[in-house]
Amino acid sequence: KFFNPNLCHICKATVAYYFIACDHCHMVIYCSQEHKQLHQLQHMQICIAVRELLNMDAGWETGRLSKEEWIQSRQELMRLIKEKLSRNLELQEMAMIIYAKSCRICHQQMNLLICTTCYSANYCIEHAELFQIVHSSNCYNQWLFLVLEVAFINNFSVLLKFNLLFDVYEPLINMHAFIQKHLKTGPYRYLSVTFFPYDYLYSDFASAPLTLYHGLRDTELFDSLEVEGSYYVIHIIGIKYCSGVRTPPWELFLHLLNHIRHLTIVMTELNFNTECFYIDTCNHCKERNRTISIEFYSMSYYSYVQSNVYKRPNVIIGFQIDFNDRFTWSETILELPKQNCPLFLT
């Protein structure tokens, strides 16, 4: 689950009779004592470390910092916590530090107000007017991000159903045209108020397999791909998160390529939990014994290629990769040509 300092950490509620902050670090809030108790065991270790470090800096709540100084202070605090705990921080723990509640302008952390449109930004009374000017251009995007994240963690995406039949020769003009023709949106079809954010949800939900399909089709690589026993393996590199909620749309790829019977999607990242499972496919696929397996591995791509769980890919794709993000990319880049298959980067 994602972290937002202005929402209940457990249920992501934006409204409560009153919010209860963590007694020690004050960085996490809850809508009830029950939800506070649910998180206590998981939160305790980092909470104690944060409080001990912040107690050494008497002015941490009232200090005013520039944007650059604020970022540096977050990086230094994470370094000290990591040193104190003698382990790497988990993603949510890092988010708790990076996105700690602070004034958008001066970054002080006392007596803050919340933007009640996006619930993703804070400001102090002194900078209320300047905050409105600075924040207005980004408020909608932050609200949209919040809507989509809440939708995913509540499994709203399972309501998406794909029509069975596709005309592979009919060009798709854009994502909106695809959504209108090939997706059934269930009860949400009639909720015009939520149409725009859900349009984003559908686009993000279905764009990965469609991007790969059209890349292969437009480069005329289908005929050159070797498919052994109707098995097809896709390696996705550089992905930032793994979520079973976001994997069902790969059934689209199965529908569009009729010769494939068994599709395997492999994703690797150091912060993943190793997990392998099958997607529940449509009746049309089940009747023809067509399957999709998803494999997440907690390792670098280089380590995966050297491991005993390695499956030779038919194609490799990376979505919006930041090659400057990690030192391991040098090893990964050297491994990619050795796979002897098409590589797509968006």
Side-chain angles (χ1 to χ4, degrees), residues 208-209 212 232-237 239 246-254 260 262-268 272 275-279 291-297 304 311 313-315 317 319:
L212 179 57
Y232 198 89
V233 179
I234 300 172
H235 288 182
I236 303 178
I237 60 173
I239 195 165
R246 299 177 190 236
T247 51
W250 281 99
E251 186 176 354
L252 278 170
F253 200 79
L254 205 60
I260 296 176
H262 307 286
L263 176 63
T264 299
I265 311 294
V266 177
M267 290 173 261
T268 62
F272 282 4
E275 182 181 12
C276 301
F277 56 90
Y278 282 89
I279 290 177
T291 63
I292 306 175
S293 62
I294 305 295
E295 300 180 5
F296 294 127
Y297 292 106
Y304 169 75
K311 290 184 174 68
N314 295 93
V315 65
I317 188 166
F319 298 101

mmCIF file of all heavy atoms in Angstrom, residues 208-209 212 232-237 239 246-254 260 262-268 272 275-279 291-297 304 311 313-315 317 319:
data_model
loop_
_atom_site.group_PDB
_atom_site.id
_atom_site.type_symbol
_atom_site.label_atom_id
_atom_site.label_comp_id
_atom_site.label_asym_id
_atom_site.label_seq_id
_atom_site.Cartn_x
_atom_site.Cartn_y
_atom_site.Cartn_z
ATOM 1 N N ALA A 208 0.109 -1.800 -21.095
ATOM 2 C CA ALA A 208 1.360 -2.569 -21.194
ATOM 3 C C ALA A 208 1.287 -3.680 -22.242
ATOM 4 O O ALA A 208 2.131 -3.734 -23.150
ATOM 5 C CB ALA A 208 1.744 -3.126 -19.827
ATOM 6 N N PRO A 209 0.307 -4.598 -22.169
ATOM 7 C CA PRO A 209 0.260 -5.654 -23.196
ATOM 8 C C PRO A 209 -0.023 -5.116 -24.594
ATOM 9 O O PRO A 209 0.493 -5.649 -25.583
ATOM 10 C CB PRO A 209 -0.868 -6.574 -22.715
ATOM 11 C CG PRO A 209 -1.681 -5.756 -21.783
ATOM 12 C CD PRO A 209 -0.734 -4.802 -21.140
ATOM 13 N N LEU A 212 3.260 -3.742 -26.124
ATOM 14 C CA LEU A 212 4.132 -4.802 -26.619
ATOM 15 C C LEU A 212 3.571 -5.429 -27.888
ATOM 16 O O LEU A 212 4.306 -5.665 -28.859
ATOM 17 C CB LEU A 212 4.321 -5.876 -25.546
ATOM 18 C CG LEU A 212 5.197 -7.062 -25.951
ATOM 19 C CD1 LEU A 212 6.584 -6.599 -26.387
ATOM 20 C CD2 LEU A 212 5.306 -8.069 -24.817
ATOM 21 N N TYR A 232 5.324 -19.112 -24.415
ATOM 22 C CA TYR A 232 5.828 -17.779 -24.741
ATOM 23 C C TYR A 232 6.202 -17.082 -23.437
ATOM 24 O O TYR A 232 5.395 -17.029 -22.497
ATOM 25 C CB TYR A 232 4.750 -16.985 -25.481
ATOM 26 C CG TYR A 232 5.260 -15.789 -26.246
ATOM 27 C CD1 TYR A 232 5.685 -15.914 -27.560
ATOM 28 C CD2 TYR A 232 5.312 -14.533 -25.651
ATOM 29 C CE1 TYR A 232 6.147 -14.819 -28.271
ATOM 30 C CE2 TYR A 232 5.771 -13.433 -26.354
ATOM 31 C CZ TYR A 232 6.188 -13.581 -27.665
ATOM 32 O OH TYR A 232 6.651 -12.499 -28.371
ATOM 33 N N VAL A 233 7.425 -16.564 -23.374
ATOM 34 C CA VAL A 233 7.939 -15.962 -22.137
ATOM 35 C C VAL A 233 8.286 -14.498 -22.393
ATOM 36 O O VAL A 233 9.025 -14.179 -23.329
ATOM 37 C CB VAL A 233 9.178 -16.713 -21.620
ATOM 38 C CG1 VAL A 233 9.711 -16.045 -20.349
ATOM 39 C CG2 VAL A 233 8.842 -18.179 -21.352
ATOM 40 N N ILE A 234 7.754 -13.622 -21.554
ATOM 41 C CA ILE A 234 8.035 -12.186 -21.629
ATOM 42 C C ILE A 234 8.782 -11.772 -20.369
ATOM 43 O O ILE A 234 8.330 -12.051 -19.253
ATOM 44 C CB ILE A 234 6.738 -11.368 -21.745
ATOM 45 C CG1 ILE A 234 5.968 -11.757 -23.006
ATOM 46 C CG2 ILE A 234 7.040 -9.867 -21.738
ATOM 47 C CD1 ILE A 234 4.580 -11.139 -23.088
ATOM 48 N N HIS A 235 9.921 -11.123 -20.529
ATOM 49 C CA HIS A 235 10.637 -10.539 -19.400
ATOM 50 C C HIS A 235 10.342 -9.041 -19.360
ATOM 51 O O HIS A 235 10.534 -8.347 -20.366
ATOM 52 C CB HIS A 235 12.147 -10.740 -19.534
ATOM 53 C CG HIS A 235 12.587 -12.151 -19.310
ATOM 54 N ND1 HIS A 235 13.911 -12.539 -19.356
ATOM 55 C CD2 HIS A 235 11.876 -13.272 -19.025
ATOM 56 C CE1 HIS A 235 13.994 -13.837 -19.118
ATOM 57 N NE2 HIS A 235 12.774 -14.306 -18.924
ATOM 58 N N ILE A 236 9.878 -8.550 -18.223
ATOM 59 C CA ILE A 236 9.655 -7.115 -18.037
ATOM 60 C C ILE A 236 10.743 -6.605 -17.103
ATOM 61 O O ILE A 236 10.858 -7.057 -15.960
ATOM 62 C CB ILE A 236 8.265 -6.823 -17.450
ATOM 63 C CG1 ILE A 236 7.174 -7.422 -18.348
ATOM 64 C CG2 ILE A 236 8.060 -5.318 -17.294
ATOM 65 C CD1 ILE A 236 5.765 -7.219 -17.825
ATOM 66 N N ILE A 237 11.557 -5.675 -17.573
ATOM 67 C CA ILE A 237 12.683 -5.185 -16.780
ATOM 68 C C ILE A 237 12.413 -3.762 -16.300
ATOM 69 O O ILE A 237 11.647 -3.014 -16.906
ATOM 70 C CB ILE A 237 14.002 -5.225 -17.582
ATOM 71 C CG1 ILE A 237 13.893 -4.355 -18.844
ATOM 72 C CG2 ILE A 237 14.364 -6.654 -17.948
ATOM 73 C CD1 ILE A 237 15.209 -4.205 -19.595
ATOM 74 N N ILE A 239 10.839 -2.595 -13.732
ATOM 75 C CA ILE A 239 9.548 -2.250 -13.147
ATOM 76 C C ILE A 239 9.751 -1.819 -11.702
ATOM 77 O O ILE A 239 10.579 -2.373 -10.979
ATOM 78 C CB ILE A 239 8.562 -3.429 -13.256
ATOM 79 C CG1 ILE A 239 7.133 -2.974 -12.998
ATOM 80 C CG2 ILE A 239 8.959 -4.569 -12.353
ATOM 81 C CD1 ILE A 239 6.098 -3.983 -13.431
ATOM 82 N N ARG A 246 -2.463 -5.676 -11.064
ATOM 83 C CA ARG A 246 -2.181 -5.084 -12.365
ATOM 84 C C ARG A 246 -1.780 -6.109 -13.423
ATOM 85 O O ARG A 246 -1.430 -5.739 -14.535
ATOM 86 C CB ARG A 246 -1.076 -4.034 -12.213
ATOM 87 C CG ARG A 246 -1.478 -2.901 -11.269
ATOM 88 C CD ARG A 246 -0.351 -1.913 -11.072
ATOM 89 N NE ARG A 246 -0.654 -0.990 -9.995
ATOM 90 C CZ ARG A 246 -0.670 0.327 -10.113
ATOM 91 N NH1 ARG A 246 -0.413 0.879 -11.259
ATOM 92 N NH2 ARG A 246 -0.945 1.093 -9.083
ATOM 93 N N THR A 247 -1.800 -7.378 -13.100
ATOM 94 C CA THR A 247 -1.362 -8.386 -14.061
ATOM 95 C C THR A 247 -2.461 -8.995 -14.926
ATOM 96 O O THR A 247 -2.155 -9.488 -16.011
ATOM 97 C CB THR A 247 -0.619 -9.522 -13.334
ATOM 98 O OG1 THR A 247 -1.427 -9.991 -12.248
ATOM 99 C CG2 THR A 247 0.713 -9.036 -12.803
ATOM 100 N N PRO A 248 -3.750 -9.008 -14.542
ATOM 101 C CA PRO A 248 -4.774 -9.624 -15.398
ATOM 102 C C PRO A 248 -4.835 -9.124 -16.833
ATOM 103 O O PRO A 248 -5.173 -9.906 -17.725
ATOM 104 C CB PRO A 248 -6.080 -9.308 -14.648
ATOM 105 C CG PRO A 248 -5.675 -9.241 -13.227
ATOM 106 C CD PRO A 248 -4.318 -8.599 -13.242
ATOM 107 N N PRO A 249 -4.534 -7.840 -17.137
ATOM 108 C CA PRO A 249 -4.670 -7.415 -18.538
ATOM 109 C C PRO A 249 -3.741 -8.125 -19.503
ATOM 110 O O PRO A 249 -3.935 -8.022 -20.716
ATOM 111 C CB PRO A 249 -4.369 -5.911 -18.491
ATOM 112 C CG PRO A 249 -3.593 -5.708 -17.248
ATOM 113 C CD PRO A 249 -4.161 -6.697 -16.281
ATOM 114 N N TRP A 250 -2.744 -8.872 -19.013
ATOM 115 C CA TRP A 250 -1.882 -9.605 -19.933
ATOM 116 C C TRP A 250 -2.656 -10.704 -20.656
ATOM 117 O O TRP A 250 -2.169 -11.280 -21.628
ATOM 118 C CB TRP A 250 -0.666 -10.168 -19.205
ATOM 119 C CG TRP A 250 0.359 -9.101 -18.997
ATOM 120 C CD1 TRP A 250 0.574 -8.381 -17.866
ATOM 121 C CD2 TRP A 250 1.268 -8.587 -19.976
ATOM 122 N NE1 TRP A 250 1.568 -7.448 -18.069
ATOM 123 C CE2 TRP A 250 2.011 -7.557 -19.362
ATOM 124 C CE3 TRP A 250 1.528 -8.894 -21.309
ATOM 125 C CZ2 TRP A 250 2.995 -6.839 -20.033
ATOM 126 C CZ3 TRP A 250 2.507 -8.182 -21.975
ATOM 127 C CH2 TRP A 250 3.226 -7.170 -21.342
ATOM 128 N N GLU A 251 -3.881 -10.981 -20.218
ATOM 129 C CA GLU A 251 -4.732 -11.897 -20.970
ATOM 130 C C GLU A 251 -5.031 -11.335 -22.359
ATOM 131 O O GLU A 251 -5.286 -12.086 -23.303
ATOM 132 C CB GLU A 251 -6.034 -12.156 -20.217
ATOM 133 C CG GLU A 251 -6.914 -13.214 -20.863
ATOM 134 C CD GLU A 251 -8.148 -13.529 -20.038
ATOM 135 O OE1 GLU A 251 -8.272 -13.007 -18.911
ATOM 136 O OE2 GLU A 251 -8.987 -14.300 -20.531
ATOM 137 N N LEU A 252 -4.982 -10.015 -22.490
ATOM 138 C CA LEU A 252 -5.142 -9.393 -23.807
ATOM 139 C C LEU A 252 -4.128 -9.940 -24.802
ATOM 140 O O LEU A 252 -4.442 -10.198 -25.962
ATOM 141 C CB LEU A 252 -4.953 -7.873 -23.690
ATOM 142 C CG LEU A 252 -6.131 -7.034 -23.226
ATOM 143 C CD1 LEU A 252 -5.670 -5.611 -22.950
ATOM 144 C CD2 LEU A 252 -7.224 -7.042 -24.269
ATOM 145 N N PHE A 253 -2.889 -10.088 -24.346
ATOM 146 C CA PHE A 253 -1.821 -10.581 -25.215
ATOM 147 C C PHE A 253 -2.128 -12.004 -25.665
ATOM 148 O O PHE A 253 -1.893 -12.375 -26.817
ATOM 149 C CB PHE A 253 -0.493 -10.532 -24.454
ATOM 150 C CG PHE A 253 0.720 -10.547 -25.336
ATOM 151 C CD1 PHE A 253 1.136 -9.397 -25.984
ATOM 152 C CD2 PHE A 253 1.445 -11.709 -25.514
ATOM 153 C CE1 PHE A 253 2.259 -9.401 -26.796
ATOM 154 C CE2 PHE A 253 2.568 -11.730 -26.329
ATOM 155 C CZ PHE A 253 2.982 -10.572 -26.972
ATOM 156 N N LEU A 254 -2.678 -12.787 -24.754
ATOM 157 C CA LEU A 254 -3.063 -14.159 -25.079
ATOM 158 C C LEU A 254 -4.179 -14.175 -26.120
ATOM 159 O O LEU A 254 -4.180 -14.990 -27.047
ATOM 160 C CB LEU A 254 -3.516 -14.870 -23.799
ATOM 161 C CG LEU A 254 -3.419 -16.394 -23.744
ATOM 162 C CD1 LEU A 254 -1.985 -16.853 -23.920
ATOM 163 C CD2 LEU A 254 -3.976 -16.898 -22.423
ATOM 164 N N ILE A 260 -0.309 -18.871 -29.115
ATOM 165 C CA ILE A 260 0.251 -19.050 -27.774
ATOM 166 C C ILE A 260 -0.745 -19.804 -26.898
ATOM 167 O O ILE A 260 -1.923 -19.463 -26.843
ATOM 168 C CB ILE A 260 0.578 -17.690 -27.125
ATOM 169 C CG1 ILE A 260 1.659 -16.965 -27.920
ATOM 170 C CG2 ILE A 260 1.026 -17.876 -25.682
ATOM 171 C CD1 ILE A 260 1.961 -15.576 -27.404
ATOM 172 N N HIS A 262 0.557 -21.048 -23.601
ATOM 173 C CA HIS A 262 1.023 -20.832 -22.230
ATOM 174 C C HIS A 262 1.910 -19.587 -22.211
ATOM 175 O O HIS A 262 3.003 -19.585 -22.780
ATOM 176 C CB HIS A 262 1.788 -22.048 -21.721
ATOM 177 C CG HIS A 262 1.026 -23.329 -21.851
ATOM 178 N ND1 HIS A 262 -0.028 -23.647 -21.023
ATOM 179 C CD2 HIS A 262 1.153 -24.353 -22.733
ATOM 180 C CE1 HIS A 262 -0.515 -24.821 -21.386
ATOM 181 N NE2 HIS A 262 0.177 -25.268 -22.415
ATOM 182 N N LEU A 263 1.440 -18.549 -21.565
ATOM 183 C CA LEU A 263 2.152 -17.276 -21.493
ATOM 184 C C LEU A 263 2.732 -17.099 -20.090
ATOM 185 O O LEU A 263 2.027 -17.274 -19.089
ATOM 186 C CB LEU A 263 1.195 -16.124 -21.809
ATOM 187 C CG LEU A 263 1.753 -14.699 -21.696
ATOM 188 C CD1 LEU A 263 2.878 -14.476 -22.701
ATOM 189 C CD2 LEU A 263 0.636 -13.675 -21.906
ATOM 190 N N THR A 264 4.019 -16.778 -20.018
ATOM 191 C CA THR A 264 4.680 -16.531 -18.732
ATOM 192 C C THR A 264 5.244 -15.118 -18.718
ATOM 193 O O THR A 264 5.961 -14.720 -19.643
ATOM 194 C CB THR A 264 5.823 -17.540 -18.490
ATOM 195 O OG1 THR A 264 5.286 -18.860 -18.455
ATOM 196 C CG2 THR A 264 6.517 -17.251 -17.158
ATOM 197 N N ILE A 265 4.910 -14.360 -17.687
ATOM 198 C CA ILE A 265 5.420 -13.000 -17.500
ATOM 199 C C ILE A 265 6.386 -13.026 -16.324
ATOM 200 O O ILE A 265 6.008 -13.404 -15.205
ATOM 201 C CB ILE A 265 4.287 -11.999 -17.200
ATOM 202 C CG1 ILE A 265 3.145 -12.138 -18.212
ATOM 203 C CG2 ILE A 265 4.835 -10.578 -17.162
ATOM 204 C CD1 ILE A 265 3.494 -11.754 -19.610
ATOM 205 N N VAL A 266 7.634 -12.628 -16.556
ATOM 206 C CA VAL A 266 8.660 -12.628 -15.508
ATOM 207 C C VAL A 266 9.052 -11.192 -15.194
ATOM 208 O O VAL A 266 9.355 -10.410 -16.101
ATOM 209 C CB VAL A 266 9.909 -13.423 -15.943
ATOM 210 C CG1 VAL A 266 10.994 -13.336 -14.869
ATOM 211 C CG2 VAL A 266 9.545 -14.877 -16.221
ATOM 212 N N MET A 267 9.036 -10.833 -13.902
ATOM 213 C CA MET A 267 9.462 -9.506 -13.458
ATOM 214 C C MET A 267 10.438 -9.662 -12.306
ATOM 215 O O MET A 267 10.213 -10.477 -11.411
ATOM 216 C CB MET A 267 8.256 -8.669 -13.024
ATOM 217 C CG MET A 267 7.361 -8.245 -14.170
ATOM 218 S SD MET A 267 5.832 -7.444 -13.624
ATOM 219 C CE MET A 267 4.692 -8.819 -13.746
ATOM 220 N N THR A 268 11.516 -8.900 -12.339
ATOM 221 C CA THR A 268 12.529 -8.982 -11.285
ATOM 222 C C THR A 268 12.820 -7.593 -10.737
ATOM 223 O O THR A 268 12.849 -6.613 -11.474
ATOM 224 C CB THR A 268 13.844 -9.588 -11.817
ATOM 225 O OG1 THR A 268 14.375 -8.735 -12.838
ATOM 226 C CG2 THR A 268 13.613 -10.974 -12.392
ATOM 227 N N PHE A 272 11.093 -6.667 -4.588
ATOM 228 C CA PHE A 272 9.915 -7.516 -4.749
ATOM 229 C C PHE A 272 9.880 -8.600 -3.675
ATOM 230 O O PHE A 272 10.901 -8.965 -3.096
ATOM 231 C CB PHE A 272 9.940 -8.228 -6.105
ATOM 232 C CG PHE A 272 9.540 -7.359 -7.271
ATOM 233 C CD1 PHE A 272 9.274 -6.021 -7.111
ATOM 234 C CD2 PHE A 272 9.435 -7.907 -8.538
ATOM 235 C CE1 PHE A 272 8.914 -5.232 -8.185
ATOM 236 C CE2 PHE A 272 9.076 -7.130 -9.627
ATOM 237 C CZ PHE A 272 8.816 -5.788 -9.446
ATOM 238 N N GLU A 275 7.229 -14.381 -5.754
ATOM 239 C CA GLU A 275 5.848 -14.875 -5.804
ATOM 240 C C GLU A 275 5.555 -15.371 -7.217
ATOM 241 O O GLU A 275 5.911 -14.723 -8.197
ATOM 242 C CB GLU A 275 4.900 -13.733 -5.438
ATOM 243 C CG GLU A 275 3.446 -14.087 -5.390
ATOM 244 C CD GLU A 275 2.572 -12.891 -5.037
ATOM 245 O OE1 GLU A 275 3.075 -11.748 -5.054
ATOM 246 O OE2 GLU A 275 1.384 -13.109 -4.765
ATOM 247 N N CYS A 276 4.921 -16.529 -7.324
ATOM 248 C CA CYS A 276 4.528 -17.081 -8.618
ATOM 249 C C CYS A 276 3.071 -17.536 -8.536
ATOM 250 O O CYS A 276 2.683 -18.194 -7.568
ATOM 251 C CB CYS A 276 5.417 -18.260 -9.009
ATOM 252 S SG CYS A 276 7.178 -17.847 -9.136
ATOM 253 N N PHE A 277 2.281 -17.181 -9.545
ATOM 254 C CA PHE A 277 0.874 -17.559 -9.516
ATOM 255 C C PHE A 277 0.308 -17.531 -10.931
ATOM 256 O O PHE A 277 0.915 -16.989 -11.859
ATOM 257 C CB PHE A 277 0.072 -16.613 -8.614
ATOM 258 C CG PHE A 277 0.179 -15.158 -8.990
ATOM 259 C CD1 PHE A 277 -0.716 -14.574 -9.878
ATOM 260 C CD2 PHE A 277 1.191 -14.366 -8.456
ATOM 261 C CE1 PHE A 277 -0.617 -13.243 -10.231
ATOM 262 C CE2 PHE A 277 1.302 -13.028 -8.801
ATOM 263 C CZ PHE A 277 0.396 -12.464 -9.689
ATOM 264 N N TYR A 278 -0.873 -18.126 -11.089
ATOM 265 C CA TYR A 278 -1.574 -18.128 -12.371
ATOM 266 C C TYR A 278 -2.704 -17.108 -12.331
ATOM 267 O O TYR A 278 -3.362 -16.928 -11.306
ATOM 268 C CB TYR A 278 -2.151 -19.512 -12.683
ATOM 269 C CG TYR A 278 -1.123 -20.497 -13.178
ATOM 270 C CD1 TYR A 278 -0.410 -21.291 -12.289
ATOM 271 C CD2 TYR A 278 -0.860 -20.623 -14.541
ATOM 272 C CE1 TYR A 278 0.544 -22.189 -12.735
ATOM 273 C CE2 TYR A 278 0.089 -21.523 -15.005
ATOM 274 C CZ TYR A 278 0.790 -22.298 -14.094
ATOM 275 O OH TYR A 278 1.737 -23.182 -14.549
ATOM 276 N N ILE A 279 -2.939 -16.442 -13.457
ATOM 277 C CA ILE A 279 -4.062 -15.517 -13.587
ATOM 278 C C ILE A 279 -5.322 -16.318 -13.896
ATOM 279 O O ILE A 279 -5.291 -17.278 -14.670
ATOM 280 C CB ILE A 279 -3.793 -14.497 -14.711
ATOM 281 C CG1 ILE A 279 -2.690 -13.522 -14.289
ATOM 282 C CG2 ILE A 279 -5.057 -13.727 -15.069
ATOM 283 C CD1 ILE A 279 -2.320 -12.530 -15.363
ATOM 284 N N THR A 291 -3.111 -20.724 -20.563
ATOM 285 C CA THR A 291 -2.787 -20.268 -19.209
ATOM 286 C C THR A 291 -1.842 -19.069 -19.237
ATOM 287 O O THR A 291 -1.106 -18.854 -20.210
ATOM 288 C CB THR A 291 -2.122 -21.393 -18.397
ATOM 289 O OG1 THR A 291 -0.871 -21.747 -19.022
ATOM 290 C CG2 THR A 291 -3.024 -22.613 -18.301
ATOM 291 N N ILE A 292 -1.872 -18.310 -18.145
ATOM 292 C CA ILE A 292 -0.934 -17.200 -17.945
ATOM 293 C C ILE A 292 -0.350 -17.334 -16.546
ATOM 294 O O ILE A 292 -1.089 -17.356 -15.555
ATOM 295 C CB ILE A 292 -1.618 -15.831 -18.056
ATOM 296 C CG1 ILE A 292 -2.381 -15.706 -19.370
ATOM 297 C CG2 ILE A 292 -0.586 -14.714 -17.934
ATOM 298 C CD1 ILE A 292 -3.179 -14.422 -19.476
ATOM 299 N N SER A 293 0.956 -17.432 -16.458
ATOM 300 C CA SER A 293 1.618 -17.464 -15.155
ATOM 301 C C SER A 293 2.435 -16.192 -14.967
ATOM 302 O O SER A 293 3.036 -15.675 -15.917
ATOM 303 C CB SER A 293 2.519 -18.694 -15.025
ATOM 304 O OG SER A 293 3.555 -18.660 -15.990
ATOM 305 N N ILE A 294 2.428 -15.686 -13.744
ATOM 306 C CA ILE A 294 3.172 -14.478 -13.379
ATOM 307 C C ILE A 294 4.250 -14.878 -12.380
ATOM 308 O O ILE A 294 3.973 -15.579 -11.403
ATOM 309 C CB ILE A 294 2.251 -13.421 -12.746
ATOM 310 C CG1 ILE A 294 1.067 -13.114 -13.670
ATOM 311 C CG2 ILE A 294 3.037 -12.156 -12.424
ATOM 312 C CD1 ILE A 294 1.428 -12.473 -14.980
ATOM 313 N N GLU A 295 5.478 -14.419 -12.618
ATOM 314 C CA GLU A 295 6.588 -14.756 -11.729
ATOM 315 C C GLU A 295 7.311 -13.478 -11.303
ATOM 316 O O GLU A 295 7.870 -12.765 -12.137
ATOM 317 C CB GLU A 295 7.561 -15.714 -12.428
ATOM 318 C CG GLU A 295 6.902 -17.028 -12.861
ATOM 319 C CD GLU A 295 7.867 -17.986 -13.544
ATOM 320 O OE1 GLU A 295 9.079 -17.666 -13.600
ATOM 321 O OE2 GLU A 295 7.411 -19.052 -14.015
ATOM 322 N N PHE A 296 7.255 -13.173 -10.006
ATOM 323 C CA PHE A 296 8.002 -12.063 -9.422
ATOM 324 C C PHE A 296 9.213 -12.643 -8.692
ATOM 325 O O PHE A 296 9.067 -13.595 -7.917
ATOM 326 C CB PHE A 296 7.152 -11.295 -8.402
ATOM 327 C CG PHE A 296 5.966 -10.583 -8.986
ATOM 328 C CD1 PHE A 296 4.699 -10.796 -8.470
ATOM 329 C CD2 PHE A 296 6.113 -9.684 -10.024
ATOM 330 C CE1 PHE A 296 3.595 -10.135 -8.981
ATOM 331 C CE2 PHE A 296 5.015 -9.018 -10.550
ATOM 332 C CZ PHE A 296 3.757 -9.246 -10.025
ATOM 333 N N TYR A 297 10.390 -12.064 -8.907
ATOM 334 C CA TYR A 297 11.586 -12.539 -8.213
ATOM 335 C C TYR A 297 12.320 -11.372 -7.564
ATOM 336 O O TYR A 297 12.540 -10.335 -8.195
ATOM 337 C CB TYR A 297 12.522 -13.274 -9.176
ATOM 338 C CG TYR A 297 11.947 -14.573 -9.676
ATOM 339 C CD1 TYR A 297 11.467 -14.684 -10.978
ATOM 340 C CD2 TYR A 297 11.857 -15.682 -8.835
ATOM 341 C CE1 TYR A 297 10.918 -15.876 -11.440
ATOM 342 C CE2 TYR A 297 11.310 -16.876 -9.284
ATOM 343 C CZ TYR A 297 10.842 -16.967 -10.584
ATOM 344 O OH TYR A 297 10.294 -18.141 -11.029
ATOM 345 N N TYR A 304 18.925 -12.991 -11.871
ATOM 346 C CA TYR A 304 17.888 -13.900 -12.371
ATOM 347 C C TYR A 304 18.404 -14.739 -13.540
ATOM 348 O O TYR A 304 18.180 -15.961 -13.594
ATOM 349 C CB TYR A 304 16.658 -13.104 -12.803
ATOM 350 C CG TYR A 304 15.655 -13.929 -13.573
ATOM 351 C CD1 TYR A 304 14.838 -14.850 -12.932
ATOM 352 C CD2 TYR A 304 15.555 -13.807 -14.964
ATOM 353 C CE1 TYR A 304 13.935 -15.627 -13.646
ATOM 354 C CE2 TYR A 304 14.657 -14.574 -15.686
ATOM 355 C CZ TYR A 304 13.850 -15.489 -15.022
ATOM 356 O OH TYR A 304 12.970 -16.267 -15.731
ATOM 357 N N LYS A 311 14.035 -18.532 -17.162
ATOM 358 C CA LYS A 311 13.346 -19.017 -18.362
ATOM 359 C C LYS A 311 13.772 -18.136 -19.533
ATOM 360 O O LYS A 311 13.707 -16.909 -19.442
ATOM 361 C CB LYS A 311 11.824 -18.955 -18.188
ATOM 362 C CG LYS A 311 11.256 -19.949 -17.198
ATOM 363 C CD LYS A 311 9.730 -19.857 -17.172
ATOM 364 C CE LYS A 311 9.119 -20.943 -16.295
ATOM 365 N NZ LYS A 311 9.431 -20.753 -14.878
ATOM 366 N N PRO A 313 13.684 -15.882 -22.572
ATOM 367 C CA PRO A 313 12.577 -15.043 -23.051
ATOM 368 C C PRO A 313 12.399 -15.097 -24.565
ATOM 369 O O PRO A 313 13.361 -15.281 -25.312
ATOM 370 C CB PRO A 313 13.006 -13.639 -22.620
ATOM 371 C CG PRO A 313 14.506 -13.680 -22.694
ATOM 372 C CD PRO A 313 14.885 -15.084 -22.260
ATOM 373 N N ASN A 314 11.166 -14.916 -24.996
ATOM 374 C CA ASN A 314 10.875 -14.678 -26.405
ATOM 375 C C ASN A 314 10.977 -13.194 -26.734
ATOM 376 O O ASN A 314 11.245 -12.817 -27.877
ATOM 377 C CB ASN A 314 9.473 -15.171 -26.762
ATOM 378 C CG ASN A 314 9.343 -16.670 -26.619
ATOM 379 O OD1 ASN A 314 8.943 -17.162 -25.569
ATOM 380 N ND2 ASN A 314 9.705 -17.407 -27.656
ATOM 381 N N VAL A 315 10.748 -12.361 -25.721
ATOM 382 C CA VAL A 315 10.842 -10.917 -25.904
ATOM 383 C C VAL A 315 11.087 -10.277 -24.541
ATOM 384 O O VAL A 315 10.667 -10.809 -23.505
ATOM 385 C CB VAL A 315 9.553 -10.351 -26.561
ATOM 386 C CG1 VAL A 315 8.350 -10.524 -25.648
ATOM 387 C CG2 VAL A 315 9.729 -8.889 -26.953
ATOM 388 N N ILE A 317 10.851 -6.423 -22.509
ATOM 389 C CA ILE A 317 10.335 -5.057 -22.621
ATOM 390 C C ILE A 317 10.576 -4.305 -21.314
ATOM 391 O O ILE A 317 10.523 -4.888 -20.223
ATOM 392 C CB ILE A 317 8.827 -5.041 -22.985
ATOM 393 C CG1 ILE A 317 8.370 -3.606 -23.276
ATOM 394 C CG2 ILE A 317 7.978 -5.688 -21.900
ATOM 395 C CD1 ILE A 317 7.021 -3.518 -23.968
ATOM 396 N N PHE A 319 9.429 -0.568 -19.437
ATOM 397 C CA PHE A 319 8.531 0.578 -19.523
ATOM 398 C C PHE A 319 9.111 1.764 -18.752
ATOM 399 O O PHE A 319 9.275 1.711 -17.536
ATOM 400 C CB PHE A 319 7.151 0.222 -18.953
ATOM 401 C CG PHE A 319 6.453 -0.878 -19.705
ATOM 402 C CD1 PHE A 319 6.444 -2.178 -19.217
ATOM 403 C CD2 PHE A 319 5.816 -0.618 -20.908
ATOM 404 C CE1 PHE A 319 5.805 -3.198 -19.905
ATOM 405 C CE2 PHE A 319 5.174 -1.630 -21.609
ATOM 406 C CZ PHE A 319 5.167 -2.923 -21.106
#
